[in-house]
Amino acid sequence: MQTFSVDEKGYYGEFGGAYIPEILHKCVTDLQYAYLDILESEQFKRDFHALLRDYVGRPSPLYFSQQLSDRSGARIYLKREDLNHTGAHKINNTIGQILVARQMGKTRIIAETGAGQHGVATATVCALMQMPCTVYMGKTDVERQYVNVKKMEMLGATVVPVTSGNMTLKDATNEAIRDWCTHPEDTHYIIGSTIGPHPYPDMVARLQSVISKEIKVQLAEKEGRDYPDYLFACVGGGSNAAGTIYEYLDNDNVKIVLAEAGGKGVDSGESAATIQLGSIGVLHGCKTLLMQTEDGQITEPYSISAGLDYPGIGPIHANLASQKRAQVIAVNDDEALKAAFELTKNEGIIPALESAHALAALEKIAFNPTDIVVLTLSGRGDKDLETYFAQIDKD
Ligand SMILES: *Cc1c(COP(=O)(O)O)cnc(C)c1O
């Protein structure tokens, strides 16, 4: 039987594993030994679900979109992660991981962030749990993301601008790993997506799987069956997609469509279409598909959407793509922008630019009229207003 879950060594097919410096060996193996028992303990489940309900605002609605259905020729539902506290799915993971950290006796949290969304979600739960929080962020990103930096500081986090390399996400990640190496005893590193060394991809996927657990219940109520014909999600590192598909991986009736960021075009040299352009390598602790030069230097990715602008892809998704369990579609900047403006005008929902990539992918599939489609709207568009307004001024 084919399985898409992680094996005991932390691999999904040929992808995954834990490629870490010796000094982190103990932190990572401690987490490997502890995480499943913690996630499956009654106390964790109680605390996690209480916070998801009363603090995050779950379950997030499953909204039937008449407009999208008419346009696409299928029955289209939106899973509204944009309505969560802090505006995206990322909070599901940070709440779960801070509870894991507390259970493991950790007293300090670190994180890295690119656009600042994961930094804000981490700073938020650190304020909630009264834990000190340090967020590493490339200096270029600090300058580009003024509002998120100020939010993190207001929430009580220390934001450290990183001046090495290109001063963006991968440099911030290196710095966070360096911090973890020097404080392995008291510090938990909250990784924001289904990336990093085992057990992070599996842990994050399990924490985000609340998305597909809710879809099952909500679809059963609305359609009389608990699975759709198609699931759509955008992929940066892959966490909202992993949460969306988790409960359906072994159900062959459910087709999976992942939208990655084509940027200015897959062959333009300015793209973040990792699955199409990537080759196998090791990044941030796991073996996966990466955008790299022939001699293994990471290529700087590009997308209009900061959350999809990552040179790697989670090992779960690298495996799903290589096994052909998931279909991967590259969506370019202009297509995502168009889909975002259409959803705004037709439904009164301003989506995050990341989520707009999944919306644009709807147009690339020929549906049957009876098909049931669930698309995860990973976040709201407040953080992208400047980009949207610049586009309006251009038109
Ligand atoms: C961060 C982010 C993403 C991309 O991250 P994944 O781990 O691939 O889900 C997508 N959508 C929104 C709104 C985000 O903030």
Side-chain angles (χ1 to χ4, degrees), residues 144-376:
R144 285 194 289 213
Q145 305 289 340
Y146 177 79
V147 172
N148 280 338
V149 173
K150 288 292 162 197
K151 266 194 204 169
M152 287 185 266
E153 289 174 352
M154 187 171 168
L155 288 159
T158 305
V159 180
V160 179
V162 174
T163 53
S164 54
N166 285 321
M167 308 189 204
T168 59
L169 179 61
K170 78 178 152 52
D171 314 296
T173 305
N174 290 338
E175 218 45 53
I177 292 174
R178 205 161 296 151
D179 179 318
W180 204 23
C181 288
T182 47
H183 305 90
E185 289 301 324
D186 65 345
T187 298
H188 177 72
Y189 178 16
I190 299 191
I191 293 184
S193 189
T194 41
I195 51 175
H198 176 64
Y200 280 100
D202 188 48
M203 180 167 66
V204 175
R206 285 170 187 264
L207 294 172
Q208 292 289 359
S209 72
V210 63
I211 298 172
S212 50
K213 292 192 174 82
E214 289 176 5
I215 293 172
K216 272 188 140 173
V217 174
Q218 291 167 321
L219 266 189
E221 273 170 17
K222 290 174 198 288
E223 291 283 351
R225 69 160 147 104
D226 69 358
Y227 65 92
D229 297 289
Y230 287 89
L231 288 167
F232 277 68
C234 62
V235 271
S239 69
N240 87 89
T244 302
I245 64 185
Y246 193 85
E247 293 288 321
Y248 297 112
L249 280 169
D250 295 323
N251 183 342
D252 291 337
N253 297 310
V254 182
K255 299 177 196 74
I256 296 170
V257 181
L258 304 176
E260 62 176 359
K264 295 187 175 160
V266 172
D267 300 318
S268 68
E270 291 183 83
S271 177
T274 314
I275 296 178
Q276 304 202 22
L277 294 173
S279 55
I280 199 160
V282 171
L283 180 67
H284 302 153
C286 72
K287 190 190 274 186
T288 189
L289 293 174
L290 314 174
M291 290 173 47
Q292 55 188 332
T293 59
E294 270 172 30
D295 51 1
Q297 297 295 317
I298 300 299
T299 326
E300 195 69 19
Y302 164 81
S303 162
I304 193 170
S305 140
L308 302 184
D309 198 352
Y310 181 68
I313 173 83
I316 301 173
H317 309 286
N319 184 48
L320 292 173
S322 84
Q323 305 279 337
K324 310 243 184 301
R325 175 67 184 92
Q327 179 180 355
V328 182
I329 295 178
V331 170
N332 295 347
D333 291 355
D334 53 345
E335 299 170 308
L337 278 170
K338 181 165 161 281
F341 282 107
E342 280 176 7
L343 192 76
T344 302
K345 285 256 160 67
N346 295 331
E347 286 289 3
I349 300 171
I350 303 178
L353 264 167
E354 293 84 1
S355 321
H357 285 70
L359 289 165
L362 282 175
E363 294 180 20
K364 306 194 179 213
I365 300 285
F367 297 111
N368 292 318
T370 55
D371 283 342
I372 298 170
V373 178
V374 175
L375 183 149
T376 293

Side-chain angles (χ1 to χ4, degrees), residues 89-97 118 191-193 204 207-208:
H89 66 290
K90 287 195 169 74
I91 191 90
N92 305 326
N93 170 49
T94 55
I95 294 238
Q97 280 199 49
H118 173 58
I191 293 184
S193 189
V204 175
L207 294 172
Q208 292 289 359

